[in-house]
Amino acid sequence: MTRSQPEAIWIYDTTLRDGAQREGMALSLEDKLQIARRLDKLGIPFIEGGWPGANPKDVQFFWHLQEEPLENAKLVAFCSTRRPHKSAAEDKMLQAILAAGTEWVTFFGKSWDLHVTEGLHTTLDENLAMIEDTARYLRSQGRRVIYDAEHWFDGYRKNPDYALQTLDRAVAGGAEWVVLCDTNGGTLPHQLAQIVGEVKDHFERRNYRIPLGIHPHNDSDMAVANAIAAVQEGATMVQGTINGYGERCGNANLCSVIPNLQLKLGYSCLADEELVNLTETSRLVSEVVNLAPDDHAPFVGRSAFAHKGGIHVSAVARNPLTYEHLTPESIGNQRRIVISDQAGLSNVLAKARSFGIELEKNDPACRQILQRLKELEHQGYQFEGAEASFELLMRSALGQSQSWFTIQGFQVHCDMGAPTPDPTMTSNALATIKVKVGDRNLLEVAEGNGPVAALDAALRKALVKFYPEVGNFYLTDYKVRILDGTAGTSAKTRVLIESSDGTTRWKTVGVSTNILDASYQAVVEALEYGLFLTLSSQTEESTVGAIVT
């Protein structure tokens, strides 16, 4: 399809709500805030934050973003229709939604008559009233409304007349978007395209000027294809999640939807200067939610543009188009020639520039950094979500690092006490650490409710005497990932730590078969980087590369 002006597709991210329903995923308040701000920076127009009132964490999330709003994206609160036989104005659930203070609210209603009678235990007419009354009330309170038609495609196939009535009532109530949801994820692209087309025809006959959206689930492994099929039939909003996270088999993966629509079909989803950050965003989110990135994911996977020897390598060296369907740099990924030491050099140069460091390709330090990076990645390190550690590595190779302190040894003793059925009881730990600062040796002891907490406390207790700034540093997150579970208790562990001084956040990483050693590495680097930020004499350099939230 050729366009003189790219048609805009509004991307609606629901990672923080629908994506968080993935089995095994648990997001803290800090996790949600970090992901929201990264999506905002990426240029996502709509970010669904959760269901205010459903749990204290979501309430705090919306309160926090009232005080420190997103810069670009529209934050959206999510909820259901009002309850049966109760006016929307009287429904306390909707009062919690209004209290979230968002301009936009998305609410869902039942499209399938089976769900009305079996799920809601109410009449078909009452369900229609619930949809219109909810939309009308939210509009009367100054909110802009998106209506998600739940189980739309299943409902339409079973009872098309009634399903269309539900949309009519949402429009009558003042909804500005109508989004068709393939909630069970079982619709195939040709079926979905036909139904979206029929809805478009219905809207045209009714003279509605309401845009359509699509919200596909991936139970048939068709969510991305269904999103694209809907757009080609006229939908102008796609709801999905980063990395396809979601309940059961997940949602439409925006990391595939966006480049397919924008780079293959000519639609406009993100600004070109933001599209190149898609891969970094995918990997950062995977680190925040503590799930291993899928190396073989299309577009953003580490292996998506990897070539391993033989004919492929020689062909790609002559012309990358021989084995690549698009330029990896267009979405922030990179080509990897596995057998070549040239692989990743451009990435090191780009990362150095992000830290305010100008490197030349023929600079020996550049290859030293690359070689060290490869060695560490082979050991299990990942720096996509630990840029502070990577900046320290880079500055060390360039001779720009400063030795603020030296750890000469530490011991940690844990007293588990007698077994107790009380899950709130924690073990006591005692850490002893020997630190050298300049020509001074210090021996400090501290307690904690666990070995890492005790070690962190002992180290801070020693350093704060020389560097009072350490008193402003604190840990905001601590994640552990087992890298080779088949090794049992001898498995290698990666620890990711996020720290803050109240205004700036930074992440560090440690890897070891000993979880305490991995934690020690990450804790030490966190303090080193914090001191670099606050004490470096070069003010401009001291802030480059930090993750500011």
Side-chain angles (χ1 to χ4, degrees), residues 111-113 124 154-165:
S111 309
W112 191 355
D113 54 8
L124 299 185
D154 294 307
Y156 183 85
R157 282 193 292 266
K158 299 295 183 181
N159 188 341
D161 291 339
Y162 182 75
L164 289 171
Q165 288 181 56

Side-chain angles (χ1 to χ4, degrees), residues 174-207:
E176 295 185 57
W177 287 89
V178 168
V179 179
L180 308 178
C181 304
D182 187 27
T183 310
N184 284 354
T187 307
L188 298 178
H190 72 284
Q191 299 169 321
L192 183 137
Q194 178 183 340
I195 293 173
V196 173
E198 291 173 4
V199 174
K200 287 283 289 185
D201 292 342
H202 174 78
F203 275 30
E204 289 175 4
R205 289 194 299 270
R206 297 263 177 161
N207 201 29

Side-chain angles (χ1 to χ4, degrees), residues 34 37-38 41 71 387 501 503-506 533 543-549:
Q34 185 176 355
R37 296 202 183 280
R38 188 65 190 85
K41 184 179 178 182
E71 294 182 4
E387 290 196 340
D501 60 4
T503 58
T504 304
R505 298 178 188 276
W506 60 93
L533 288 177
T543 56
V544 173
I547 302 171
V548 181
T549 61

Side-chain angles (χ1 to χ4, degrees), residues 108-112 115 147-153 155 179 181 183:
F108 71 92
K110 303 298 185 184
S111 309
W112 191 355
H115 276 260
Y147 175 64
D148 274 11
E150 188 187 40
H151 290 99
W152 166 258
F153 295 93
V179 179
C181 304
T183 310

